């Protein structure tokens, strides 16, 4: 009986050791991937957009928090509306790709108010992309001018 109990302790110890080693391995892999694929990306960080009406007036502003994978050029992140004030509760998730010449992004709402669309922009200056935000309505797709600019720390 005592021998069986000792075997049970050894089994529990082996399982726990396996779990600890697996966790340490997972953490090492995750840390390695972060440093290899994400850390130091010139595109990761905070981006600001300005959305314009047909007369060129800024009607909306959002802040994007983007994480860029240097290997695949995929970006993922979150968007928060900062203007107009009555829409500052609005939030979206986003995913897309960014290269030296294009920033292409789709987004979808986290809110009860459903909202989604996509952004297609081209590089016009250092960390500044201009193009269009495409929004579907019942019977057409609206094309709205947008500018995305990365916050660059000095």
């Amino acid at each position: 009986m005592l021998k069986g109990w000792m075997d049970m302790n050894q089994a529990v110890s082996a399982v726990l050791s396996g779990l600890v080693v697996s966790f340490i391995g997972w953490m090492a892999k995750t840390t390695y991937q972060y440093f290899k694929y994400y850390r130091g990306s010139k595109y990761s960080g905070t981006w600001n957009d300005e959305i314009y009406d047909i007369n060129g007036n800024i009607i909306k502003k959002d802040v994007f928090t983007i994480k860029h994978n240097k290997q695949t050029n995929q970006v993922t992140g979150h968007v928060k509306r900062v203007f107009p004030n009555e829409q500052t509760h609005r939030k979206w998730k986003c995913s897309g790709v960014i290269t030296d010449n294009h920033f292409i992004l789709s987004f979808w709402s986290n809110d009860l108010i459903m909202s989604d669309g996509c952004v297609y922009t081209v590089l016009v200056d250092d960390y500044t992309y201009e193009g269009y935000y495409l929004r579907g309505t019942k019977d057409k797709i609206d094309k709205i001018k947008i500018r995305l600019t990365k916050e660059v720390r000095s």
Side-chain angles (χ1 to χ4, degrees):
M1 180 116 154
L2 188 57
K3 184 174 184 197
W5 181 80
M6 290 173 63
D7 290 338
M8 181 62 78
N9 270 350
Q10 290 172 342
V12 169
S13 179
V15 168
L16 290 177
S17 295
L19 289 172
V20 168
V21 169
S22 295
F23 179 75
I24 290 170
W26 175 81
M27 286 297 297
K29 178 182 175 188
T30 302
T31 302
Y32 169 76
Q33 288 177 334
Y34 169 76
F35 280 101
K36 182 174 181 180
Y37 301 127
Y38 295 100
R39 186 176 167 112
S41 167
K42 66 182 181 178
Y43 298 117
S44 291
T46 303
W47 290 75
N48 298 294
D49 79 1
E50 296 172 336
I51 300 173
Y52 300 89
D53 67 11
I54 58 173
N55 298 316
N57 301 309
I58 298 172
I59 56 171
K60 297 177 184 177
K61 292 182 180 182
D62 303 305
V63 174
F64 292 69
T65 304
I66 297 292
K67 185 170 75 169
H68 172 249
N69 183 315
K70 296 183 289 187
Q71 181 183 26
T72 64
N73 282 328
Q74 181 179 2
V75 293
T76 56
H78 295 28
V79 185
K80 171 122 175 67
R81 173 79 25 95
V82 294
F83 177 81
N85 290 335
E86 59 273 7
Q87 293 184 5
T88 57
H89 63 282
R90 307 285 306 271
K91 296 177 184 176
W92 299 265
K93 290 184 180 181
C94 63
S95 180
V97 294
I98 189 168
T99 66
D100 289 335
N101 298 318
H102 296 92
F103 194 153
I104 305 165
L105 195 67
S106 61
F107 59 90
W108 55 97
S109 176
N110 287 338
D111 298 332
L112 295 175
I113 301 171
M114 295 308 296
S115 172
D116 59 13
C118 60
V119 173
Y120 185 90
T121 58
V122 295
L123 183 69
V124 295
D125 202 355
D126 291 342
Y127 299 106
T128 302
Y129 292 78
E130 291 182 355
Y132 294 96
Y133 149 45
L134 305 175
R135 175 181 65 190
T137 59
K138 289 182 182 180
D139 57 351
K140 64 179 179 154
I141 297 176
D142 294 328
K143 186 170 85 171
I144 302 159
K145 186 168 173 39
I146 189 170
R147 173 191 300 236
L148 286 162
T149 306
K150 185 174 190 293
E151 288 184 8
V152 180
R153 298 183 183 176
S154 305

